[in-house]
């Protein structure tokens, strides 16, 4: 955002800036039969069956939610690694503690951006 000086406005004047939250339109029904999303569902369900505890996915395209899914169970394993079959299912509103994962994702994103902009040579 850039605010350009106007006549009668000085640097000491207060400016209130309000930015609305983006409005996302749920369009998941239109993409329900999408082959790519079906393949993704199949892959994630197989991973859950083979021990991965849970996952959530939201795909947004042009301000529309075109895929939203939840898989697996919350706290699905005991400390000794046994599956808890009665654990609650993950929903689209389940919150995850991202903790140190953010460091990895942010670093990878920054690395990718720098590579794209040819700031880093491999």
């Amino acid at each position: 955002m850039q605010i350009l000086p106007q006549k009668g406005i000085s640097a000491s004047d207060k400016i209130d800036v309000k930015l609305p939250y983006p409005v996302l339109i749920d369009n998941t029904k239109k993409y329900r039969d999408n082959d790519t999303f079906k393949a993704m569902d199949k892959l994630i369900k197989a991973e859950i069956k083979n021990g991965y505890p849970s996952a959530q996915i939201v795909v947004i395209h042009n301000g529309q939610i075109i895929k939203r899914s939840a898989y697996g169970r919350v706290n699905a394993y005991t400390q000794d690694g046994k599956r808890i079959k009665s654990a609650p299912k993950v929903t689209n509103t389940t919150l995850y503690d991202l903790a140190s994962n953010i460091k990895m994702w942010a670093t990878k994103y920054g690395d990718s951006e720098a590579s794209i902009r040819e700031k880093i040579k491999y």
Side-chain angles (χ1 to χ4, degrees):
M1 175 188 326
Q2 183 178 15
I3 300 174
L4 300 173
Q6 302 288 322
K7 277 188 174 181
I9 296 177
S10 70
S12 62
D13 289 341
K14 181 180 174 184
I15 298 173
D16 288 327
V17 177
K18 295 179 182 178
L19 300 173
Y21 287 106
V23 176
L24 298 175
I25 299 164
D26 187 343
N27 204 3
T28 53
K29 288 181 183 177
K30 180 178 177 183
Y31 292 86
R32 187 170 285 145
D33 294 326
N34 179 286
D35 289 338
T36 301
F37 291 157
K38 285 181 179 181
M40 188 168 47
D41 286 337
K42 186 176 179 180
L43 173 70
I44 294 170
K45 287 176 182 176
E47 291 297 321
I48 299 288
K49 184 177 179 181
N50 287 304
Y52 201 81
S54 64
Q56 283 179 312
I57 292 181
V58 177
V59 179
I60 299 170
H61 179 68
N62 293 332
Q64 297 180 34
I65 300 170
I66 60 173
K67 172 74 172 165
R68 181 182 351 198
S69 295
Y71 312 84
R73 297 189 175 274
V74 177
N75 299 325
Y77 292 90
T78 63
Q79 286 190 348
D80 61 351
K82 294 180 181 161
R83 191 182 291 253
I84 303 171
K85 294 183 180 179
S86 62
K89 288 185 177 184
V90 172
T91 68
N92 289 327
T93 59
T94 301
L95 297 177
Y96 287 84
D97 180 6
L98 296 179
S100 293
N101 287 323
I102 289 295
K103 295 172 198 160
M104 174 199 56
W105 292 329
T107 302
K108 183 61 182 162
Y109 175 76
D111 183 43
S112 296
E113 281 295 306
S115 178
I116 289 168
R117 297 171 195 263
E118 297 183 3
K119 302 278 184 191
I120 297 176
K121 299 289 185 192
Y122 293 102

